[in-house]
Structure formats: structure tokens, C-alpha cells
Amino acid sequence: MCAVTAADQFSSNDGRPLPERLRGRALELFHSAWSPTAASMRRWALASVVANAGIAVTGAAVRLTGSGLGCPSWPRCTPGSFVPAPHDAHAPLNMAIEFGNRLLSFLVLAVAVGCVVAAFRLVPRRRALTRLALIQPAGVALQAVWGGLVVRSALNPVTVSVHFLVSIGMIAGAFALYARSGEGDAPARRLVHRDIRTLGFVLVTAVFVLLVAGVVVTGTGPHSGDEAASRFNFDIETMARLHADTVWVVLGLTFALLFALHVTDVPGRARRGALVLLGVELAQGVIGYVQYFLAVPAFLVGLHVLGSTLVWIAALRVVFLMRSRGPLGSLTPAPNEVDAVGV
């Protein structure tokens, strides 16, 4: 029997040492942006969607753990230090949670830079992709500055709410980049009747209003992020009912869209997209009502924030599925990409 060496433990299945494997993966990642293909461009865009949705959820987790002012200053974590340092007013765990979320911003920035490099290096270069990609680092910079305002305002609910809504806007930009990177540059052609597409836009608007109502409820209720944080001076019961009413409006519009797509001759992917949206909305509604009757426990609130981002992404996806710009590489519509309703 031969002894297992440390080198063996750090070897991969193909016999390469772990450091070599990591270098190989890093080079692959670099080349996916520096020498991009249509597929790698789309993967970078998808990574941006995931990263922006992820940091929106982790930002909520910071608040839900009472770590909103774990780093009480900005851009430093504590006065005189960019990293957590002993501070009488904050527990080390809270400081670590808030500092960890700040570090995640650099991951989002790295993905954003990857999107920009891939978009500008793609051959042939596509103007739509370069413009959408540039939104990502600009949004990260805006979020960083606004995050400083959130800290300096001691988690004022207005600044916290805007912080989340900017993330929602960045998710929309990232998803648009993801959708456009998987299709051609032909003029957009509707695959559904124009009234159905208008209904889709109305639905997305209603979902955004629902998100705004949600952040107002959050800014009125518990889980402020720190004992020193202020809250909206609204009645929480009234705000919760208003939020619930908006949920029913969104569900009604979704049912109407599903019915319209079912009774017309439209591509199956649009119907499936609307069905996925309905499923996510129903799951989100269940979580919302359960958290309300259980006096909004922190874990369910975090799950609800995750559900909010998924509802938003699913709603955006439905709108993009109801039109086509032809296959990749096309500048004019393909013969089979005609309007499904002939208008």
C-alpha cells in the first residue's frame, strides 16, 4: 500500500495539480471575455442577471440580521479602516456580514466588466450589446455611491428603498442583455397581437408597482437593519393591505395574459413563459401571506425578497418571448419569423 501524498490530494481526476487546474479555469474565463463567442457572451449576461439578483437578496439579508450599520462609515468600514476593526457599537458578526456584502459588490463589478469586455470584443461587434453592457458597471458605480448615502443616512427607509429599486433596474438591464445576446439584430417583430403585447407591458408595469409597494411595507415594518434606523410613518396594516391588493391586480393581469395567449395562435414558448410567471407569483403569494400571519419572521422575509426578484425576472422574460428579432446573425427577419396574427 502506498501512502497518499499531499500532491495526490491536490490533484484532479485528470492528474493535474489543483493550482494548475485553477490557472486553466482562470484562462478559460479570461478568454471567454477576451475572445468571446455568441455563447460565452450570453453566459456573461446570464452571470450578470444572477449576480445582480444575488446581491439584492444578500443586501436584504444584511438588514434582516440587524447588520445594516455593521460598517458604520463609508467608504471605510470603520473610521480609519477599510476592513472591520473592533468597534464598541457593533458586534463582530454584524460587521462581518455587512463587510461581506460590500465585498460582493466587487464580484458584481467583475461580472459587469466581463460583460463590457465581451461585448466590445465580440466579432462582429453589436451596438445593442455594447450599450446594454455599459449599463452594468455604471449601475455598480451608482449603487456604490448610493450605498454610502444609505450608511450616512443611518438606513433612512427612502435611501434603502431606492437602493433596492436600483438593483431591480440593473436586473432589467442585465436581462435585456441576456435576451438580446441570444437573438439577431433584425427589427423587432411581434409574435402576438399588439393588444396582447400591450397587456404584457401593463403587467410588467404592475409588477414594478408591486415591488415599490413591497419596499414601502418593508420600510414601515420591522427589520430596519439597526436600532438607530428610522421607519416610514405609515400604518403598517394599511400598507400591507395595499400591497396585497396590488398582488391581486398582478395576478388578475397574469390570468388575463394567459387566457389571451391560450385562445390565440402564438408560439408555445410565450404561453410557457406566462405559466412560469404565474407559478412564481403564486409561490410568492403563499410566502407573503404565511410571513404576515407569522409576524414576519426574518427568514421568510428574506425568502420573499428572493421571490420578488424572481417574479420580476419572470415578468421581463414573458415580454421578450412575445417578440422576435430573428436568429443570431440576422439583420432582416427570417421567413418563419412573421407576425403570428398577420399584423
Side-chain angles (χ1 to χ4, degrees):
M1 180 182 296
C2 56
V4 178
T5 65
D8 293 330
Q9 293 177 351
F10 287 97
S11 295
S12 64
N13 292 333
D14 61 6
R16 292 187 301 165
L18 180 60
E20 184 179 337
R21 247 195 315 149
L22 292 177
R23 283 196 299 271
R25 292 295 176 86
L27 283 174
E28 288 176 8
L29 189 62
F30 171 78
H31 286 299
S32 69
W34 191 253
S35 304
T37 62
S40 66
M41 176 71 245
R42 199 165 200 226
R43 286 195 295 269
W44 276 106
L46 179 60
S48 186
V49 175
V50 174
N52 281 288
I55 201 166
V57 176
T58 59
V62 169
R63 177 174 51 81
L64 294 170
T65 57
S67 306
L69 292 177
C71 286
S73 64
W74 188 94
R76 292 179 171 86
C77 180
T78 55
S81 176
F82 284 97
V83 298
H87 197 280
D88 294 337
H90 301 281
L93 178 60
N94 296 133
M95 297 181 72
I97 291 173
E98 164 62 5
F99 183 69
N101 192 64
R102 291 190 182 188
L103 290 180
L104 284 177
S105 299
F106 290 98
L107 175 60
V108 180
L109 177 60
V111 174
V113 170
C115 288
V116 172
V117 172
F120 276 87
R121 295 282 300 174
L122 187 65
V123 179
R125 183 182 297 177
R126 300 173 58 191
R127 181 176 297 181
L129 299 189
T130 57
R131 289 177 175 177
L132 289 170
L134 286 171
I135 293 174
Q136 299 306 305
V140 174
L142 173 61
Q143 282 288 65
V145 174
W146 195 266
L149 182 60
V150 170
V151 173
R152 292 179 180 274
S153 67
L155 305 184
N156 182 283
V158 174
T159 61
V160 174
S161 299
V162 172
H163 203 38
F164 177 77
L165 293 176
V166 172
S167 289
I168 290 299
M170 289 184 64
I171 291 171
F175 189 85
L177 177 62
Y178 172 72
R180 291 292 284 113
S181 62
E183 61 187 9
D185 292 318
R189 293 182 64 85
R190 289 180 286 105
L191 302 176
V192 300
H193 191 279
R194 59 177 175 270
D195 293 339
I196 297 178
R197 183 140 166 83
T198 299
L199 178 59
F201 285 122
V202 172
L203 174 58
V204 170
T205 303
V207 171
F208 181 76
V209 172
L210 177 61
L211 294 174
V212 173
V215 297
V216 173
V217 172
T218 299
T220 305
H223 308 301
S224 62
D226 192 271
E227 293 180 357
S230 60
R231 312 304 288 146
F232 284 126
N233 191 26
F234 299 132
D235 177 65
I236 185 61
E237 294 287 339
T238 301
M239 291 298 100
R241 291 193 181 98
L242 179 62
H243 182 58
D245 291 342
T246 311
V247 170
W248 286 110
V249 171
V250 169
L251 281 172
L253 290 171
T254 305
F255 273 111
L257 180 62
L258 266 172
F259 179 78
L261 293 173
H262 180 73
V263 299
T264 55
D265 182 21
V266 301
R269 60 178 186 167
R271 288 194 295 269
R272 290 190 295 272
L275 193 59
V276 169
L277 171 61
L278 177 63
V280 176
E281 288 173 351
L282 292 176
Q284 175 75 334
V286 170
I287 295 171
Y289 276 104
V290 170
Q291 74 169 6
Y292 177 79
F293 289 114
L294 293 181
V296 289
F299 173 74
L300 287 182
V301 174
L303 201 58
H304 201 54
V305 173
L306 172 62
S308 297
T309 62
L310 294 179
V311 168
W312 178 238
I313 292 170
L316 294 171
R317 179 171 177 261
V318 169
V319 171
F320 278 97
L321 288 175
M322 291 193 293
R323 60 99 180 104
S324 173
R325 289 181 178 272
L328 277 173
S330 64
L331 297 177
T332 56
N336 61 338
E337 295 292 346
V338 296
D339 219 325
V341 291
V343 295

